[in-house]
Structures are given as C-alpha cells and as structure tokens.
Amino acid sequence: GKSSLINALLGENILAVGGAVGACTCVITSIHHHLSAEFRAEIDFISHKDWKAELRSMQAAMNAKPSEDDTEEDRKEWESEHKAAHEKFISVYRQEPPEDLTPFIEHATLSLRANIASAMSSGEPIILVEENARTLKNNVRRFLVGREQHDDGQFWPLISRVRIYGNFPVLANGVVLVDLPGLN
C-alpha cells in the first residue's frame, strides 16, 4: 500500500505496485521534485566488493545443513536463509546455483549486463530519463522485478537504492517521499 499511496499523493503512476509486478518494493526508493518536463531515475548499485561478500554469505547459507541439536525455530531460520540465498542467486543469474560459487565470487560481474557491471565498479548510478512517468516506471521495474518477470534477470539484490525525479507539485516545498521495502 505504500507505493500506491505515494502514487496517489503525486498524481502520477511513477512507482510499480506489488500486485502489478509480482513482488513488493524491494529497495529504498526516494521521490524528489525537479523542475523538468522529463522524469529521471538514478539506480545505485552495490560495489563489487559488497556483491562478493553477499555471494560468500549466499554460499554459506546454501551449503549449511541443520544439525540434530537445532530447535524447530533454528530449522525454520536455516530454511528461510537457504531459500533467500537461492532466490537471490536465481534472480540475478537466471540459473540454479552451482555447488561452488567460487567463479562467481572471484569474478563478481560474471554474466552481468555491461551497464550493471560498470555501475558496480564505478559507483556511478544508471540514469534513465523518460518523457512520461509510466514509461520511466516500466524501465525502472525491469531492474527491480523478481519472480520470473523478465528473461534477462532481476537485479534487486544488486541495487542499493533508487532515486526518482519529476515535476511533482506536491513536493515543490522540498519534501522527499521514501518508499521502503515491504514485508511481502
């Protein structure tokens, strides 16, 4: 409901909403006023170093096994961590994770689009500019959507935040709206 509320406040369909994309908001998204006829999004990515660390954590989670001493709560936590690691890997790489993620850890940009690899190494955001809010929303959504929505992968595990700029009169006084990830 947060994304829908923000869209209503802005009077523009600028944020994808859960029912339309198959997933709730997955990264922090801020919406800013900017006097322009165009709409702009800046998509920030985590660094290669951070993605390598995440891949190591994912490998540990996927390779961990519950022990006989674990409580039911421990097993549920293990199962949740295993499932999350598996989902992240498949979302980004579009394949089942191999037993050994070392090649992916050593080459953090392995199989990633060139523009994403460049953004991860330079620290510069990918910038999208469109004439209307709906087109911008759809182009941003291509990076964020999970659960088999696009054949070329979803990159929400690699994105640290999204900033959206547009001529939103309700924000003209300097207010910035922030859409936070939901709990699904």
Side-chain angles (χ1 to χ4, degrees), residues 80-97:
S80 176
E81 289 174 4
H82 184 271
K83 181 179 177 184
H86 189 260
E87 182 177 352
K88 281 183 185 181
F89 189 89
I90 289 175
S91 291
V92 172
Y93 294 109
R94 286 307 197 226
Q95 67 182 38
E96 285 293 321

Side-chain angles (χ1 to χ4, degrees), residues 2-163:
K2 296 183 297 285
S3 302
S4 297
L5 175 61
I6 290 172
N7 284 340
L9 290 171
L10 298 174
E12 291 283 355
N13 191 8
I14 193 78
L15 296 173
V17 295
V21 298
C24 58
T25 302
C26 49
V27 299
I28 296 172
T29 304
S30 58
I31 299 90
H32 308 258
H33 179 71
H34 181 70
L35 282 176
S36 174
E38 300 173 317
F39 294 90
R40 185 177 86 232
E42 297 176 0
I43 303 173
D44 289 319
F45 289 80
I46 63 175
S47 69
H48 286 139
K49 179 182 175 185
D50 289 343
W51 183 236
K52 285 181 179 187
E54 181 67 15
L55 285 166
R56 283 187 197 96
S57 295
M58 288 164 45
Q59 178 152 341
M62 288 187 290
N63 291 342
K65 304 289 182 220
S67 75
E68 291 180 19
D69 296 333
D70 286 347
T71 64
E72 185 174 334
E73 189 172 308
D74 292 334
R75 288 179 186 274
K76 284 182 181 179
E77 184 177 334
W78 169 85
E79 196 173 288
S80 176
E81 289 174 4
H82 184 271
K83 181 179 177 184
H86 189 260
E87 182 177 352
K88 281 183 185 181
F89 189 89
I90 289 175
S91 291
V92 172
Y93 294 109
R94 286 307 197 226
Q95 67 182 38
E96 285 293 321
E99 290 287 322
D100 183 10
L101 297 184
T102 301
F104 294 91
I105 295 168
E106 289 176 1
H107 308 283
T109 59
L110 189 66
S111 302
L112 295 179
R113 286 198 236 155
N115 62 339
I116 293 173
S118 176
M120 289 174 76
S121 62
S122 71
E124 295 294 320
I126 289 178
I127 298 175
L128 307 173
V129 178
E130 296 295 341
E131 290 184 16
N132 68 64
R134 183 166 297 227
T135 304
L136 183 73
K137 173 191 74 175
N138 290 336
N139 287 333
V140 169
R141 182 169 57 185
R142 293 184 196 287
F143 289 91
L144 299 176
V145 175
R147 296 179 178 81
E148 309 298 326
Q149 296 287 327
H150 298 289
D151 291 336
D152 63 345
Q154 290 81 57
F155 305 103
W156 53 267
L158 306 175
I159 297 173
S160 60
R161 78 175 185 185
V162 175
R163 288 180 303 280

